[in-house]
Amino acid sequence: RMAAGHQHPETIKSRRDFLAAARGKRWITPSFVLVTHKRAEDHPVKNVKRVGYTVTKKMGNAVARNRIRRRLRHAAAQIAPLHMKDGHDYIIISRDAALACEFSALLRDMEFAFSRIHGNK
């Protein structure tokens, strides 16, 4: 967990919210897939940006998966707040390159995906 005051967006906790967000608009990069979804007006969570991470078992053992999740979270903390919109959920789904690629490449993918996901060309 990050210290209070760090710019991490809130985390999506419930499976239902995950599944809802996963049906949203997606942007694919070599290291991850970014999916975003606007929460329903009547959703109990208001006016926050939330992000969730999915790292599947085929990415490796728990140690490898946690490392991938940390890398994605760290990259997202640097890029995402500039592009995220209130009332939206974002899911970052890791792909094979997420562990092996240079961190700078991960940041580049993150910048690219977040800058494009809302259709700002």
Side-chain angles (χ1 to χ4, degrees):
R1 282 277 157 245
M2 293 289 162
H6 202 277
Q7 68 270 42
H8 278 293
E10 287 195 18
T11 305
I12 299 171
K13 304 237 171 30
S14 86
R15 178 167 165 76
R16 219 180 93 209
D17 288 348
F18 250 98
L19 294 174
R23 289 195 298 271
K25 192 161 61 165
R26 55 189 54 219
W27 192 269
I28 298 169
T29 75
S31 48
F32 63 90
V33 178
L34 173 65
V35 189
T36 187
H37 161 80
K38 191 172 184 346
R39 288 190 299 278
E41 295 298 322
D42 59 1
H43 195 283
V45 177
K46 303 283 182 236
N47 297 334
V48 295
K49 310 161 174 84
R50 296 191 309 174
V51 67
Y53 300 88
T54 300
V55 183
T56 62
K57 286 258 169 76
K58 56 173 202 264
M59 292 287 145
N61 63 14
V63 175
R65 292 198 308 271
N66 285 333
R67 206 168 143 228
I68 292 169
R69 197 173 293 112
R70 276 198 308 275
R71 293 188 88 196
L72 290 171
R73 197 180 293 132
H74 189 67
Q78 292 183 37
I79 307 292
L82 308 170
H83 300 285
M84 295 172 85
K85 294 186 176 178
D86 281 347
H88 284 68
D89 285 345
Y90 298 84
I91 308 259
I92 297 174
I93 305 163
S94 70
R95 300 184 69 202
D96 289 339
L99 186 57
C101 72
E102 290 288 322
F103 190 69
S104 60
L106 196 57
L107 281 174
R108 225 178 15 251
D109 283 352
M110 199 64 74
E111 173 68 54
F112 192 65
F114 270 99
S115 66
R116 293 294 200 290
I117 194 78
H118 288 297
N120 333 338
K121 292 285 177 289

